[in-house]
Amino acid sequence: MSYVNAKEVFPEELLIEIRKYFNSGLLYIPLSEDEHKEWGSNTTTKSLLEKRNREIKSKKQAGYKIEELMKEYHLSYDSVKRILYRR
């Protein structure tokens, strides 16, 4: 995301109105709800984490101990528990 000068984008009347609420500093304008993308939709990270979590649950059912899963997946005790007990 890059910095854009508001004078280059907005008409002067709108800038005057915006200054009534926010006079100086950096202002973030988020995407509208219909433009918002779900986390992980642009990469494979979400699907990779889901696959990893399924593997962890499967291994736990097969008899692995939480400590073994911690070492194998380089996760904390609480992280493994969170994966195992999340619905």
Side-chain angles (χ1 to χ4, degrees), residues 10-85:
F10 299 123
E12 185 62 30
E13 304 82 35
L14 182 55
L15 286 174
I16 291 168
E17 193 64 29
I18 291 171
R19 285 185 192 114
K20 291 179 184 176
Y21 299 93
F22 188 84
N23 197 22
S24 67
L26 297 177
L27 178 65
Y28 171 74
I29 301 174
L31 294 173
S32 63
E33 287 296 320
D34 57 331
E35 295 175 310
H36 182 73
K37 294 182 180 177
E38 186 176 321
W39 179 85
S41 63
N42 288 341
T43 66
T44 60
T45 302
K46 187 174 183 178
S47 61
L48 291 173
L49 289 176
E50 288 171 348
K51 180 180 180 225
R52 179 205 66 185
N53 293 350
R54 284 192 304 271
E55 287 176 3
I56 289 172
K57 288 179 180 182
S58 176
K59 288 182 178 184
K60 178 66 171 129
Q61 289 177 345
Y64 278 66
K65 293 182 174 20
I66 290 179
E67 291 76 12
E68 294 170 318
L69 296 169
M70 289 169 50
K71 288 179 184 175
E72 183 174 343
Y73 291 96
H74 306 284
L75 296 170
S76 70
Y77 182 83
D78 289 337
S79 293
V80 173
K81 277 183 54 177
R82 193 176 307 114
I83 292 166
L84 292 173
Y85 300 116

